[in-house]
């Protein structure tokens, strides 16, 4: 009964390729997020969707494009991958209007660009 | 933009002892939320404890407690009776009334047997 799941968990690819990471949550939440954790373990928000609408769009290269087909899914597509895109990408979800609106994280996807 | 600072990159504690992790933040808002997340080697982010800024009472979850000093903008985490399973990276995080969660740089906790 995984709450927030991501596929794949590991992704190794060549520079210049296009790849996607998928995220699904079964918590019934209405808000989903993508975070990037770099090699120094620093975590930074990239995007957030609430009820399929983009509400947070941080300064991210436009090679990164999120897509939310429904409230339970948020995918991340990355075009023309670069070496600097190597990182762990976390998906998270939360329920707006709840007391803490706390975010539940997926297991992460380790992306390695060669 | 809110800034969250964790000044201790690494902390070491003897099993069964207590360790305190520091966290300070910068904000001009009066209402907000603070969190501590744990990231073990499995890399899963696990919520440890949470605190609302307008509540003066410090949050407690079993062996984990916080010392929230609103005026000082400080939110430290105390781990009591440390166990080997507590070894992980700990992140302090801030959220205003919106959705955005801002994280500190993390503190790596090592537990010595």
């Amino acid at each position: 009964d995984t709450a927030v799941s991501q596929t794949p968990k590991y992704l190794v690819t060549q520079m210049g390729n296009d790849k996607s990471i998928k995220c699904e949550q079964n918590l019934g939440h209405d808000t989903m997020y993508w975070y990037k954790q770099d090699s120094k373990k620093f975590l930074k928000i990239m995007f957030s969707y609430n009820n399929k609408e983009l509400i947070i769009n941080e300064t991210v290269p436009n090679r990164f494009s999120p897509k939310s087909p429904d409230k339970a899914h948020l995918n991340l597509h990355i075009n023309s991958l670069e070496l600097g895109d190597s990182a762990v990408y976390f998906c998270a979800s939360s329920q707006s209007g709840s007391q803490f609106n706390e975010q539940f994280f997926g297991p992460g996807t380790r992306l390695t660009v060669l | 933009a809110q800034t969250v600072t964790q000044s201790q990159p690494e902390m070491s504690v003897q099993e069964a002892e207590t360790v305190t992790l520091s966290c300070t933040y910068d904000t001009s808002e009066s209402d907000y939320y603070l969190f501590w997340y744990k990231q073990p080697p499995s890399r899963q982010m696990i919520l440890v404890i949470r605190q609302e800024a307008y509540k003066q009472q410090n949050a407690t979850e079993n062996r984990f407690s916080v010392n929230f000093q609103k005026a000082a903008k400080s939110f430290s985490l105390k781990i009591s009776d440390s166990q080997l399973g507590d070894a992980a990276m700990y992140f302090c995080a801030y959220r205003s009334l919106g959705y955005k969660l801002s994280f500190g740089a993390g503190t790596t906790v090592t537990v010595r047997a």
Side-chain angles (χ1 to χ4, degrees), chain A residues 35-73:
Chain A
Y35 287 86
K36 178 180 180 180
Q37 186 173 42
D38 62 24
S39 58
K40 294 183 179 175
K41 303 285 187 161
F42 188 69
L43 266 160
K44 192 160 194 275
I45 182 94
M46 299 173 69
F47 302 103
S48 178
Y49 273 75
N50 173 257
N51 283 314
K52 300 194 300 174
E53 283 194 32
L54 185 65
I55 56 170
I56 295 176
N57 186 358
E58 292 291 288
T59 307
V60 176
N62 57 16
R63 297 182 295 101
F64 290 78
S65 53
K67 190 166 287 187
S68 181
D70 56 57
K71 286 196 303 183
H73 297 85

Side-chain angles (χ1 to χ4, degrees), chain B residues 6-52:
Chain B
Q6 293 180 247
S7 59
Q8 306 151 316
E10 296 179 356
M11 293 289 282
S12 181
V13 61
Q14 189 72 34
E15 202 175 1
E17 298 294 312
T18 296
V19 65
T20 299
L21 312 183
S22 68
C23 172
T24 58
Y25 54 92
D26 182 30
T27 185
S28 57
E29 298 172 9
S30 58
D31 201 9
Y32 47 86
Y33 298 87
L34 297 161
F35 305 86
W36 278 98
Y37 280 86
K38 169 185 177 181
Q39 186 178 40
S42 67
R43 80 168 179 244
Q44 178 71 52
M45 294 288 288
I46 303 163
L47 180 65
V48 174
I49 200 164
R50 58 198 186 178
Q51 174 86 38
E52 294 178 81

Side-chain angles (χ1 to χ4, degrees), chain A residues 14-17 63 78-86 111 113:
Chain A
Q14 297 289 328
M15 216 165 45
N17 284 349
R63 297 182 295 101
I78 315 170
N79 289 326
S80 303
L81 278 155
E82 298 178 357
L83 294 176
D85 297 332
S86 295
L111 171 64
V113 182

Side-chain angles (χ1 to χ4, degrees), chain A residues 89-110:
Chain A
Y89 292 84
F90 285 96
C91 177
S93 73
S94 70
Q95 179 59 40
S96 63
S98 61
Q99 185 182 11
F100 285 95
N101 194 10
E102 63 192 69
Q103 296 180 19
F104 294 82
F105 284 76
T109 295
R110 180 177 294 281

